[in-house]
Amino acid sequence: MSTIRVTDEVKERLRDLKRDDESFNDLLDRLSRSEKDVEEMAGFLSEFDDGSLADNMRETHEELNESLDRRSDE
């Protein structure tokens, strides 16, 4: 187990992003997923889909990144 020091401001922002049913560890794990993870998942799903699901996942991922960028600018 490790300790990560963050400012109170960062902790509040993380708390706002955290889902009710997840720990801070779960939150950081979710937020730290790379685009490669999403692309691999989209590639796997494309075997079962006509491509619209993978496109939708990419768009949602981009929207989430933009939302997180806007929050960090505040």
Side-chain angles (χ1 to χ4, degrees):
M1 182 76 64
S2 297
T3 301
I4 300 172
R5 293 178 187 229
V6 296
T7 64
D8 290 337
E9 182 180 317
V10 170
K11 186 175 180 181
E12 287 300 316
R13 286 197 314 257
L14 289 171
R15 186 174 293 143
D16 290 342
L17 293 172
K18 190 171 85 56
R19 297 173 182 159
D20 290 338
D21 64 336
E22 71 183 349
S23 66
F24 279 103
N25 187 77
D26 294 337
L27 167 69
L28 294 172
D29 182 52
R30 177 170 54 89
L31 294 177
S32 66
R33 302 241 181 244
S34 71
E35 285 186 36
K36 184 177 180 182
D37 294 335
V38 173
E39 289 171 0
E40 286 176 8
M41 191 182 312
F44 170 77
L45 291 173
S46 67
E47 295 176 22
F48 307 101
D49 184 55
D50 64 358
S52 61
L53 180 60
D55 290 340
N56 201 358
M57 286 179 64
R58 283 188 196 96
E59 288 173 21
T60 301
H61 185 254
E62 289 172 10
E63 289 170 6
L64 175 61
N65 282 341
E66 290 170 7
S67 172
L68 292 173
D69 287 343
R70 283 192 302 272
R71 280 182 170 229
S72 67
D73 291 339
E74 294 177 353

